[in-house]
Amino acid sequence: MFDHLSNSLQKTFKNLRGYGKLSEKNVTDALREIRLALLEADVHFQVVKDFIRQVKEKALGQEVLASVSPGQQFTKCVQDELTELLGRDHKAFDLSANPTMIMMLGLHGAGKTTTTGKLAAKFSRAGRKVLLVACDIRRPAAVEQLNVLAGQVGVDVVNPNPGESVPELGMRARDRAMTQGYNLVIFDTGGRFQVDDELVRELEELRDMVNPQNTVLVVDAAMGQESVNVAQTFHERVNLTGLILTKLDGDARGGAALSIQSVVGVPIHLVGVGEKTEDLEDFHPDRLASRILGMGDVVTLVEKAQDMVDETSMAKMEKQLLKGDLNFEDMLSQMQQMKKLGPIDKLMEMMPGMPQVSAEERQRMADQGKVQSRRFEAIILSMTPKERRKPHVINAKRKQRIARGAGTRVKDVNDLIKQFNQAKKMTKKLKKQQKKLLRFSK
Ligand SMILES: Nc1nc2c(ncn2[C@@H]2O[C@H](COP(=O)(O)OP(=O)(O)OP(=O)(O)O)[C@@H](O)[C@H]2O)c(=O)[nH]1
Ligand SMILES: [Mg+2]
C-alpha cells in the first residue's frame, strides 16, 4: 500500500546522503519533496503541515546540520516523527476484564465480520475461550457468514432468535459468557452506508447493555480521506476506544493509515492485510515507519515465523545447522516450513531494501521463486533416502536418474546441488562463528 510514498521518500533521502554537509536550503528542499509525497499519498493536509513543521524544527537544530552524517540524521528525524504520527507505541486491546467484551462497529463492507473471524482465530490460538455474537439481525446472510467463519476457527456463536432486539441478544450473550466461562466476547454489529441516527441509537443501546471495554471501529483504509471523516464521526457519536484498519494489502495510497490516529486521537490496534483468517497484524508504529522508509520490518517477519512455523522442526533444524552437516532432508523440510509463512511477495515486503522493489517486480520474483522451489522439491523427492542423507554419493549417473524421475533436466539437478553447497558453506561459517562466540563468553 505504501509503495509509491516509500519510493518518493527514499529518493529524497538518497539525494541527501550525497552531501557531506547539509545547508538549510538542502533541508528545505528535502522537506518540500516529503510534503509533496505525503500529500500525494492522500495524507490529511493539516497532518502534513504539522509533520513538516516538527521535522523542520528538529532538522534545523544543531544535531542534524552539525552531525557527521547529516543525511542519516535527517532520515532518523523523519523516522521518529513518522513513528510519532502513527501513535508511537503499539497499543493492545484492554483485556483486563473477564470476560472481556469487544464491540465491532463500522460501515458496510469495512471488514467487521471478516476481522471478527480473524480476532477469534488470534485469541483462540493464544488460549482464550472465545464467543462470537451475530448482531447483524437484519441480514440473514451476515449471520450465516459469521457462523461459517466461526466453524472454520472452531469457536462458538450466539445467533439472534426470531423477534429478538439487538440489546436483548447482547444481554443473552453476556449472560452466556458469564455462566459458561468464556474469556472473550466479540459482538459483530451490522453496517450501514453512512452513520445515521438509527445506527447510532442501535449501537448505543447495545453498548449500554453489554458495557464493552473495547469499542472498536473497523475502517477500510482503501477509502482514503473519507475513512478519516467516517472515523471522526463515529468517535463523536459513540466514543471509540480503538481502530482496526483493513485492506492495507490493497494498492490505495495509504494516507488514511497515516492520518487517522492523529486526527481522531484513538489508537490503531491492528491492521488487516488480506482476506484470510491469518491476515491480521498487530499495528506497531515504529515498524510501519521503518517499512515505509525502506528499512524493512524484520521483527514482524520473525514473529510471523514463530507464530506459523512449528517449533520442534525449527529446533531440529537449528541443531542440524549448528552441527554443520546439512543434507537434502533438512533442505526439504526447510522448504516446506517456508511455504507455511505465506506468499513470498508479502514476506519480501518486510525485508530491508525490498520495499524499493516495485510490487510487480516482487510478484515476478515470487513467481519465479515458487517455480524453482517446486522444481527443487520434485528433485529432492526423486532422490533415494541414501542420496538425500549423503549428498556426496550423487554422481553423473544418479543425476540423470534423479532428473528423469523429477521430470526436469540434469542442469536443474546441478543448480540444486550448487545451492545446497552454498547453504552448506554458510552453515559451516555459522558454526565457526558460534564457536568463536562461545570462546569469548567463557
Ligand atoms: N484484501 C482485503 N480484503 C478484506 C480485508 N478485510 C476484509 N476484506 C474483504 O472485504 C469484504 C467485506 O468484508 P466483511 O467482513 O463482510 O465486511 P462487514 O464490515 O462485515 O460488512 P457488512 O456486514 O456488510 O456491514 C469481504 O470481501 C472481505 O473478504 C483485508 O484486510 N484485506
Ligand atoms: Mg458483516
Side-chain angles (χ1 to χ4, degrees):
M1 172 171 256
F2 300 98
D3 278 350
H4 189 70
L5 174 64
S6 190
N7 284 335
S8 322
L9 292 181
Q10 283 175 60
K11 221 181 281 157
T12 306
F13 295 142
K14 211 164 134 200
N15 290 340
L16 278 188
R17 285 204 195 106
Y19 295 103
K21 241 180 121 155
L22 287 189
S23 66
E24 201 168 317
K25 181 169 182 310
N26 296 143
V27 172
T28 317
D29 288 349
L31 284 173
R32 186 174 314 122
E33 284 170 29
I34 295 177
R35 192 173 139 260
L36 271 179
L38 290 171
L39 287 173
E40 256 171 42
D42 206 21
V43 181
H44 194 284
F45 79 95
Q46 189 60 43
V47 173
V48 177
K49 211 168 143 194
D50 292 344
F51 181 83
I52 296 294
R53 189 170 42 76
Q54 297 281 355
V55 178
K56 191 169 184 172
E57 251 169 48
K58 283 196 191 147
L60 289 182
Q62 281 298 317
E63 315 98 82
V64 169
L65 292 187
S67 71
V68 192
S69 53
Q72 269 174 16
Q73 278 292 338
F74 181 77
T75 311
K76 168 105 182 19
C77 258
V78 176
Q79 187 183 9
D80 289 350
E81 266 326 298
L82 202 51
T83 308
E84 197 68 27
L85 181 67
L86 292 165
R88 194 179 317 162
D89 303 309
H90 169 63
K91 298 190 183 71
F93 287 128
D94 174 2
L95 296 172
S96 54
N98 197 15
T100 288
M101 312 275 177
I102 302 178
M103 194 167 133
M104 308 283 277
L105 344 166
L107 293 186
H108 256 326
K112 293 176 292 299
T113 309
T114 314
T115 311
T116 301
K118 292 177 181 179
L119 287 174
K122 174 185 163 78
F123 285 112
S124 27
R125 261 203 311 263
R128 284 174 191 266
K129 193 172 167 197
V130 180
L131 183 64
L132 304 183
V133 192
C135 299
D136 196 349
I137 56 172
R138 275 184 211 84
R139 277 199 316 132
V143 176
E144 177 60 26
Q145 185 191 359
L146 189 69
N147 279 273
V148 170
L149 284 170
Q152 285 167 3
V153 178
V155 299
D156 299 330
V157 190
V158 183
N159 287 313
N161 288 330
E164 195 175 33
S165 72
V166 172
E168 283 165 353
L169 166 66
M171 185 69 160
R172 187 159 61 83
R174 201 189 65 168
D175 289 347
R176 177 164 164 201
M178 302 262 196
T179 51
Q180 300 183 6
Y182 289 93
N183 316 118
L184 187 73
V185 191
I186 311 176
F187 298 85
D188 176 33
T189 65
R192 267 331 128 78
F193 287 111
Q194 62 187 54
V195 193
D196 56 36
D197 290 337
E198 199 195 341
L199 172 69
V200 171
R201 207 172 316 118
E202 189 178 299
L203 294 173
E204 276 173 348
E205 280 173 6
L206 177 64
R207 184 193 61 198
D208 294 344
M209 191 59 79
V210 300
N211 233 331
Q213 293 77 21
N214 305 275
T215 312
V216 180
L217 183 71
V218 179
V219 197
D220 178 348
M223 276 170 56
Q225 283 299 317
E226 188 48 28
S227 66
V228 180
N229 298 336
V230 168
Q232 212 167 4
T233 315
F234 263 103
H235 188 43
E236 279 160 12
R237 312 242 359 214
V238 287
N239 219 352
L240 307 169
T241 59
L243 302 164
I244 297 178
L245 287 188
T246 58
K247 310 186 195 179
L248 242 69
D249 51 310
D251 53 8
R253 290 168 293 171
L258 290 164
S259 334
I260 208 160
Q261 198 280 143
S262 73
V263 174
V264 186
V266 295
I268 303 170
H269 294 302
L270 296 139
V271 293
V273 293
E275 302 196 35
K276 291 207 279 309
T277 331
E278 63 272 17
D279 294 332
L280 184 72
E281 289 178 6
D282 281 344
F283 183 73
H284 289 274
D286 51 340
R287 300 185 197 173
L288 182 58
S290 85
R291 213 191 281 186
I292 292 175
L293 299 182
M295 300 161 191
D297 179 1
V298 178
V299 189
T300 302
L301 195 62
V302 171
E303 278 179 3
K304 212 174 162 110
Q306 279 166 346
D307 210 24
M308 305 306 289
V309 172
D310 90 75
E311 262 175 53
T312 39
S313 31
M314 270 318 258
K316 220 172 90 192
M317 182 112 56
E318 207 177 298
K319 222 166 108 190
Q320 209 76 34
L321 280 178
L322 289 175
K323 244 171 63 192
D325 59 351
L326 193 71
N327 63 34
F328 280 118
E329 270 174 7
D330 306 324
M331 202 167 173
L332 189 64
S333 93
Q334 201 169 6
M335 273 157 48
Q336 280 158 353
Q337 294 283 339
M338 272 302 284
K339 265 197 257 169
K340 285 197 206 158
L341 285 177
I344 305 270
D345 52 321
K346 275 201 188 163
L347 295 179
M348 278 203 272
E349 238 179 81
M350 295 186 219
M351 292 175 193
M354 273 301 176
Q356 285 161 45
V357 180
S358 73
E360 296 90 67
E361 181 68 4
R362 279 201 299 266
Q363 180 71 44
R364 203 186 53 75
M365 285 160 76
D367 289 344
Q368 238 175 23
K370 237 186 274 170
V371 171
Q372 194 190 43
S373 87
R374 220 177 292 140
R375 190 180 294 144
F376 281 179
E377 214 174 315
I379 295 174
I380 299 178
L381 288 172
S382 153
M383 293 175 184
T384 63
K386 185 175 169 193
E387 287 161 349
R388 272 182 236 159
R389 259 176 258 134
K390 301 198 182 319
H392 63 269
V393 303
I394 303 175
N395 56 20
K397 206 167 142 208
R398 284 177 187 257
K399 277 182 198 167
Q400 269 173 10
R401 194 211 74 243
I402 294 168
R404 237 187 349 261
T408 56
R409 299 157 301 171
V410 172
K411 181 186 169 299
D412 298 317
V413 181
N414 283 331
D415 284 348
L416 171 69
I417 293 178
K418 206 158 107 197
Q419 265 210 12
F420 171 79
N421 285 333
Q422 272 165 0
K424 204 170 156 123
K425 229 190 261 167
M426 281 284 293
T427 61
K428 285 213 171 109
K429 252 196 210 147
L430 270 176
K431 196 177 149 193
K432 259 191 217 149
Q433 268 172 2
Q434 205 210 16
K435 268 192 188 153
K436 236 193 242 165
L437 278 176
L438 279 176
R439 249 204 326 272
F440 275 129
S441 62
K442 264 180 197 158

